[in-house]
Amino acid sequence: METVFLQTVEIWNWLIDHLIYINLILSIIIVFFQRRDPKAVWTWLLALYFVPVFGILVYLLLGQDMRKGKLFRIKEVEDRVRYSAKNQEEFLKSHDISLVSSLSRDYEDLVLYNLETSGSVLTVDNTVEIFTDGEEKFKDLRMELSNAAHFIHLQYYIIKDDEVFDSIIPILIERAKAGVEVRILCDGMGGRFMPKDKWNLLKENGVKVGIFFPPILGRLQLRVNYRNHRKIVIIDNRVGYVGGFNIGREYISKDTRFGYWRDTHLKLQGGSVLSLQIRFALDWNYAAGENLFRNMKYFCEDEDGSCLDFLGVVDITDENKHLGIQIIASGPDARSRQIRDNYIRLFSKARDHIYIQTPYFVPDDAVLTALSVAARSGVDVRLMIPCKPDHPFVYWASYSYVGDLISAGARCYTYENGFLHSKGVMTDGKVSSYGTANMDIRSFELNFEVNAVIYDEETTRRLEALFLEDLKVCKEITREVYEERSLFIRIKEQGSRLLSPLL
């Protein structure tokens, strides 16, 4: 015991003696070798020099930028997937965009941007069902899982050991014993409290389990800042789910801390399901080390075994196919902030209104400027956030940024009927984007996220109708209400806002 104590003292003394050199090396790395927002650079430098020892520890745990390393390279099969996108891009450039049914020429550049930057193929043979209540979503999910004939792929950021997961496990085991291939992918942070015996039970019954960035030495997570925040389910390439609901009792409104849980989840059918499948396969290949692309049966469109050539051109000229969707993704492995850039483009194109729902509103300068310019230009910008925090630090930072929007003429609301976890943008009743991404820097920069961009007026208007219905249980944050905040609240807001660039 005494030896360990002496060694600890020696390490501490060495750290103090060499503190200036350690700070200098880390400062050089932050300034010259990492692609960061200037505000984040200054915040990290201040942390290193004003709270040096603590700042070093926090940086080593949270602040490392892994984009330029080889960390995610195993996940890339971009050349294969991009072939499809390149062909479609050339087709769209040489034909009238009006051939794509209800897709307006106004959004042609956004479609092309998504094709060019990440190979997000446009599919137009889709149907969309919208879930806002957790009980209804999981009831429908259990029904579809029970009908699985070939494979089940589930990916959730959070899976908790409670009655919700317990209601799904028997179905997964039964389907696995019936010969259906079942895979579950969970984030290492989001599933950190799941007991090993529960995972082992699934594995023993034929279910494959993958953990994205698993913890080491119990629950120690060295990559805590990089989280796979995606929630995707694909069943037989026949149906897919994407949205905000995780697996846990709070998501079915059973947690008294949050009350009613208001979220948005999409059930997709059509070509967009294959796009979700490709997204799942990329993440699964990295986390589980199993290359799903080696077997095309996972990319079959029909039950008779005929496979859709996802490397070819998706038919976008059939007059019976009209609901356009692009599945877009972002994360620290991406070269661009695709979801963030889509939001900015939608904001700049809006001429009548912009509706936003998000549990966290911590935008970067580009997003905040785009929204402010839209509001000052006469566009009806409305933002809805929760009335209560699940993460107080982020909540107070959000409230600070709300003030900037109010000053620009936007209208901001707090959802008062429980907790708002819905994540989406709707513009002009024409295009909407819903999925897993929050309107915050973490989702734009660090989390692995996925959204569905929906180029369909009928679906977008349904989503907007739900938004307007939610306004009936909201309280508006007027300029007068905002300016009446106490000094203590203002200090918390500004402190949280100052620290928010620590990414």
Side-chain angles (χ1 to χ4, degrees), residues 320-496:
N320 296 318
K321 300 177 179 181
H322 59 88
L323 202 161
I325 291 179
Q326 281 180 301
I327 300 299
I328 62 173
S330 61
D333 59 338
R335 298 180 180 88
S336 62
R337 306 169 190 173
Q338 191 179 10
I339 294 178
R340 192 280 310 255
D341 293 347
N342 270 252
Y343 287 157
I344 292 174
R345 195 64 183 139
L346 289 174
F347 298 156
S348 67
K349 284 178 171 293
R351 295 295 177 265
D352 184 74
H353 62 265
I354 299 169
Y355 298 157
I356 302 170
Q357 287 181 316
T358 180
Y360 318 121
F361 184 69
V362 186
D364 59 14
D365 288 341
V367 171
L368 188 61
T369 299
L371 285 172
S372 298
V373 169
R376 296 182 194 278
S377 302
V379 177
D380 180 12
V381 178
R382 302 194 187 196
L383 169 69
M384 188 184 299
I385 62 173
C387 69
K388 61 182 73 172
D390 62 338
H391 299 292
F393 165 79
V394 182
Y395 179 78
W396 292 117
S398 297
Y399 217 83
S400 171
Y401 284 101
V402 162
D404 293 358
L405 284 190
I406 293 174
S407 298
R411 301 182 69 179
C412 302
Y413 305 84
T414 54
Y415 182 81
E416 302 289 326
N417 188 40
F419 185 74
L420 178 74
H421 195 247
S422 181
K423 312 160 191 295
V425 168
M426 302 141 278
T427 61
D428 292 349
K430 295 180 179 180
V431 176
S432 46
S433 178
Y434 266 85
T436 70
N438 300 305
M439 191 71 64
D440 71 349
I441 297 172
R442 176 172 291 278
S443 281
F444 298 154
E445 291 273 354
L446 298 177
N447 289 348
F448 295 87
E449 306 281 6
V450 61
N451 271 27
V453 182
I454 305 170
Y455 304 95
D456 182 66
E457 293 187 10
E458 192 273 332
T459 304
T460 299
R461 286 171 179 166
R462 282 160 55 200
L463 289 164
E464 291 185 349
L466 292 169
F467 179 91
L468 295 174
E469 189 67 22
D470 288 335
L471 286 181
K472 296 177 182 178
V473 291
C474 286
K475 182 184 295 183
E476 184 169 3
I477 311 172
T478 63
R479 187 184 298 269
E480 292 74 23
V481 169
Y482 193 78
E483 291 177 351
E484 289 175 358
R485 295 166 1 267
S486 68
L487 177 61
F488 177 66
I489 290 177
R490 293 174 188 234
I491 292 173
K492 286 198 295 185
E493 290 174 3
Q494 291 304 314
S496 299

Side-chain angles (χ1 to χ4, degrees), residues 1-13:
M1 189 71 178
E2 183 178 351
T3 303
V4 173
F5 175 75
L6 292 175
Q7 289 177 341
T8 304
V9 171
E10 289 178 2
I11 294 172
W12 180 263
N13 290 335

Side-chain angles (χ1 to χ4, degrees), residues 40 65 81 167 216 240 249 256 267 274 346 398 475 486:
D65 188 344
V81 178
S167 72
I216 62 172
R249 67 192 317 268
T256 56
K267 179 183 180 181
L274 183 61
L346 289 174
S398 297
K475 182 184 295 183
S486 68

Side-chain angles (χ1 to χ4, degrees), residues 143-239:
M143 181 269 293
E144 293 289 1
L145 291 174
S146 298
N147 293 330
H150 304 294
F151 65 81
I152 295 170
H153 290 161
L154 291 93
Q155 176 177 358
Y156 282 93
Y157 167 53
I158 292 174
I159 300 179
K160 292 190 174 181
D161 182 27
D162 58 28
E163 63 264 39
V164 180
F165 194 40
D166 286 343
S167 72
I168 295 174
I169 288 176
I171 302 174
L172 300 180
I173 292 177
E174 186 275 328
R175 288 289 79 201
K177 289 183 177 179
V180 175
E181 294 188 40
V182 182
R183 293 175 175 84
I184 301 178
L185 179 59
C186 184
D187 181 76
M189 277 291 292
R192 65 190 182 279
F193 296 118
M194 179 64 65
K196 287 186 177 180
D197 59 353
K198 189 66 67 75
W199 292 133
N200 290 335
L201 171 66
L202 288 164
K203 293 176 182 178
E204 290 166 1
N205 285 278
V207 177
K208 295 183 179 180
V209 177
I211 304 297
F212 200 95
F213 287 168
I216 62 172
L217 301 177
R219 293 178 180 173
L220 178 61
Q221 179 55 267
L222 296 181
R223 295 163 179 165
V224 66
N225 230 17
Y226 293 87
R227 303 175 187 175
N228 197 316
H229 197 239
R230 293 168 182 147
K231 300 99 178 170
I232 299 173
V233 177
I234 308 99
I235 302 169
D236 296 341
N237 274 342
R238 175 180 52 81
V239 62

